[in-house]
Amino acid sequence: GEAVIEPITIAIATDDETWSTPVRVSSNTNPTNAIQPKVAAAPLQGGAVVVWSQGPTTGLDDELWAARADDTGAWSAAEALGAHVQTYDHEISIDGNGNIFVAWQEEGIDVWATRYASGSGWSAPARIDSGSTAANRWHRIAADDNGNAIAVWRRGDRVRANRYTAGTGWGTAADVVPTDMLNIDRLSLGMDAAGNAVATWLTGPQGGIMGPPGNTDVQAIQYTVGTGWNGLTPVASGGALLREHPNLLVDATGNGLA
């Protein structure tokens, strides 16, 4: 029979609140499904990017693909970001100069990232954490107005992070908190214009998974430029409560809402 192709289609809303005609942005040469589209906008420059996962043109590995829209709403051709094994859980952020950061996991173990630089294109994918058999999950990435970015994720019973410094590149991944925490779940990350960040997550007996009521807490920690991660704080804790799906917003001046 004929192979099934699932296209990625997108529309853009303009300043006058009208929607463009939907445009297919995924490749039509790939004989397997395109899934998990993630979209980010460039509020200062205009335009947007969509990143998705789809099967390969050859072989068995999954591939990440991307398409970019300029400030007129015109979309680029789809571009493959690299062929990888079991690539999924990707996240996107755009810095103040319109550069794009994408982070994802491979085979549940390694954490990878790539960057689109305006005028230069996509960098080669770089492994930003590896060397452990513990499962990685809940990858999040955020960028500031100066071209720096932070990626966070769960590895086993720890929350880990790596920072991208403009002009230098990725640093060394490290634990955000140097102790194990039970059932880390639902990570969120926000960053202000200066590069200070806040991360939140669930932890506790249920870790956000449905079950009998338990002491499931929402934790938060701050990253300060020049200082690092500090100030682990329970945002909501105690009582026989099953807390789920915390979300986080951080504005340009560093105020946050969980």
Side-chain angles (χ1 to χ4, degrees):
E2 184 178 357
V4 176
I5 299 175
E6 295 292 342
I8 302 296
T9 305
I10 196 164
I12 293 178
T14 59
D15 290 340
D16 61 0
E17 299 182 356
T18 60
W19 285 93
S20 68
T21 301
V23 175
R24 177 175 178 164
V25 296
S26 60
S27 169
N28 62 3
T29 62
N30 196 313
T32 54
N33 292 348
I35 59 173
Q36 295 182 323
K38 302 284 183 70
V39 180
L44 300 181
Q45 296 80 19
V49 62
V50 56
V51 178
W52 66 93
S53 177
Q54 69 182 46
T57 53
T58 60
L60 298 176
D61 295 349
D62 292 335
E63 296 173 339
L64 280 182
W65 287 70
R68 295 169 291 105
D70 61 23
D71 57 0
T72 70
W75 286 93
S76 70
E79 302 171 90
L81 305 186
H84 306 280
V85 177
Q86 297 180 15
T87 299
Y88 56 99
D89 202 15
H90 50 277
E91 290 292 332
I92 322 168
S93 187
I94 302 179
D95 69 20
N97 299 311
N99 303 306
I100 304 163
F101 293 85
V102 184
W104 67 93
Q105 71 179 43
E106 292 183 14
E107 296 187 302
I109 297 175
D110 294 338
V111 182
W112 289 70
T114 186
R115 176 177 177 268
Y116 179 88
S118 300
S120 299
W122 292 98
S123 65
R127 185 186 287 112
I128 62 173
D129 193 21
S130 63
S132 172
T133 58
N136 288 309
R137 200 181 178 198
W138 299 115
H139 306 80
R140 299 292 180 260
I141 193 165
D144 66 18
D145 282 357
N146 301 310
N148 308 298
I150 290 176
V152 298
W153 59 93
R154 183 196 76 186
R155 187 168 84 178
D157 293 325
R158 301 284 180 98
V159 175
R160 291 177 64 79
N162 199 336
R163 186 172 187 267
Y164 180 95
T165 303
T168 301
W170 290 100
T172 301
D175 294 338
V176 170
V177 180
T179 55
D180 289 351
M181 291 170 285
L182 184 63
N183 292 330
I184 297 165
D185 202 0
R186 306 291 177 179
L187 269 165
S188 293
L189 177 68
M191 180 178 283
D192 67 18
N196 304 300
V198 179
T200 61
W201 62 87
L202 284 173
T203 186
Q206 272 70 51
I209 301 171
M210 290 302 295
N215 185 13
T216 307
D217 300 337
V218 180
Q219 304 284 347
I221 194 169
Q222 293 180 303
Y223 175 88
T224 304
V225 176
T227 302
W229 295 97
N230 59 81
L232 180 65
T233 304
V235 175
S237 63
L241 298 174
L242 181 63
R243 300 176 176 92
E244 294 187 287
H245 305 292
N247 288 307
L248 173 68
L249 292 173
V250 176
D251 67 18
T253 61
N255 301 302
L257 176 65

